[in-house]
Amino acid sequence: MSILKSLFSAQGWIRPFEFLFERVLAYTAALAMFTMMLVTLVDVVGRDLFSAPLPGGFEVTELLLASLIFLGLPMVTAEGSHVDVDIMDSTIPAFLKPLQDIAICLVNLVAFATLSWMMWKLAFRTYEYQDTTAMLQIPYAGLVFLMAVCCTLSTWALMLMLLFKRGKKLFSNNHGDHAVKEVK
């Protein structure tokens, strides 16, 4: 019985996502950011000192910026850190706040599921048409598939938030740190 209980508990399902979001996506986003900084540095130094900018530097920066934004999307979603407007929060009674969180999560889930579906359609169409950048001829398909995967991860995060956290942020951020009780 305890095996089934642990299998279907929130922690059993959320831990792999926590590793994926906080390690894999975060480090990949950091690598994209670092690469974007290097490309910009080489482009600016080449332009200012040698009057020769990096060929295609603008295209590479565009692609890296798009990947950086979409790599951050699942992390921001899981943390519940999207920009929100709380105009009505002061008018909603405290006992309705949990229902408000669930309603907001449901609306976001529908929006992200629709966005994911549209991104997957765009990804396959981009792959089929073999779209590339203008100057360096870098295929767009890899970027659009990354965008579709990240939108899908955001949708899964919202689904897990709705099922296990009632619309609250997905990860507890305690990372296994346990308070040590002082014994006298």
Side-chain angles (χ1 to χ4, degrees), residues 79-139:
E79 282 293 319
S81 297
H82 286 289
V83 174
D84 58 359
V85 179
D86 54 359
I87 296 171
M88 300 297 291
D89 276 358
S90 61
T91 62
I92 296 176
F95 71 93
L96 288 178
K97 295 285 186 190
L99 291 176
Q100 179 189 19
D101 292 337
I102 291 171
I104 290 169
C105 194
L106 273 171
V107 169
N108 287 335
L109 180 62
V110 170
F112 271 91
T114 304
L115 180 64
S116 297
W117 172 65
M118 293 174 72
M119 288 302 298
W120 282 107
K121 282 178 54 175
L122 179 64
F124 284 112
R125 188 173 62 223
T126 304
Y127 177 75
E128 183 180 313
Y129 292 158
Q130 297 179 352
D131 290 341
T132 62
T133 60
M135 188 172 179
L136 297 178
Q137 300 296 310
I138 300 171

Side-chain angles (χ1 to χ4, degrees), residues 28-48:
T28 306
L31 181 64
M33 175 70 99
F34 183 74
T35 306
M36 191 167 58
M37 289 184 332
L38 282 179
V39 167
T40 304
L41 176 72
V42 169
D43 189 37
V44 169
V45 168
R47 180 178 295 125
D48 290 347

